[in-house]
Amino acid sequence: MKEIQITTPIQVYKADELPEEDRELVDIAKQMTLTSYSPYSHFQVGAALRLRDGQIFKGSNQENAAYPVGLCAERTAFFAAGANAPKVPPVSIAIAAQTGGKFSETPIAPCGSCRQALLEAEVRFQQHIRIVLYGTESIWVARSVRDLLPLTFDGSQLP
Ligand code: THU
């Protein structure tokens, strides 16, 4: 038996250090928290997805009384992009969340299902997606979905 280590490189920024393009995306993600429909969790998540041609698709979490029917902010934005600009690769996504009128101090990370959904685009377009996770204390940036989902399952494993 041997053990392997898998490391996850994360860039940690203070708000005033963030590159302009990321800052713009974070601002939109923060605004989008206000469109969240989250009467059950009261956890308002916003996402902004930039495509290679500059288009930005926006999303927020949309809940339902039948809980599993609801959808996360990231996939709301991602699927809107897939439906409206199917041939344009996504290049970056910013995510922000607030509850009780306060943005989270620690960066909000996408759930496993959203990571898997985003991975599909990385595989499909052979293009890394930069993931910008907003927190009031620090902003974390991963350069690829694979950094947040290191042991991936994708279509290449299917017969
Ligand atoms: N949620 C997101 O929108 N994105 C995440 O990355 C984590 C969770 C939503 C789903 C649900 O509406 C609420 O947050 C609580 O889980």
Side-chain angles (χ1 to χ4, degrees):
M1 189 278 258
K2 69 171 182 171
E3 190 174 271
I4 58 166
Q5 302 287 333
I6 299 174
T7 56
T8 299
I10 298 284
Q11 300 172 328
V12 178
Y13 289 92
K14 293 280 171 208
D16 59 0
E17 297 172 337
L18 204 60
E20 184 52 38
E21 288 214 328
D22 291 343
R23 194 193 317 257
E24 184 196 4
L25 220 50
V26 163
D27 284 346
I28 296 169
K30 288 171 74 178
Q31 283 166 24
M32 288 307 292
T33 62
L34 300 174
T35 72
S36 161
Y37 177 66
S38 43
Y40 305 105
S41 71
H42 305 288
F43 191 64
Q44 299 168 274
V45 188
L49 180 79
R50 189 192 302 280
L51 306 190
R52 192 155 71 191
D53 67 1
Q55 292 187 78
I56 294 175
F57 284 86
K58 306 170 187 179
S60 59
N61 56 329
Q62 301 295 317
E63 297 185 349
N64 192 281
Y67 293 176
V69 173
L71 197 63
C72 294
E74 296 90 323
R75 274 177 289 161
T76 308
F78 178 70
F79 290 149
N84 291 287
K87 298 204 167 121
V88 193
V91 293
S92 54
I93 184 168
I95 304 153
Q98 63 164 305
T99 189
K102 283 197 175 133
F103 282 103
S104 46
E105 282 182 18
T106 50
I108 161 86
C111 78
S113 296
C114 288
R115 294 175 203 204
Q116 183 69 28
L118 291 166
L119 174 71
E120 188 76 17
E122 278 200 355
V123 172
R124 176 178 172 194
F125 295 110
Q126 293 293 299
Q127 159 96 50
H128 291 317
I129 301 174
R130 183 177 172 86
I131 305 179
V132 184
L133 309 175
Y134 176 74
T136 56
E137 295 296 312
S138 61
I139 297 156
W140 286 23
V141 176
R143 292 194 199 90
S144 164
V145 179
R146 286 172 198 278
D147 288 337
L148 297 185
L149 192 67
L151 300 176
T152 55
F153 172 76
D154 62 53
S156 67
Q157 279 139 307
L158 293 173

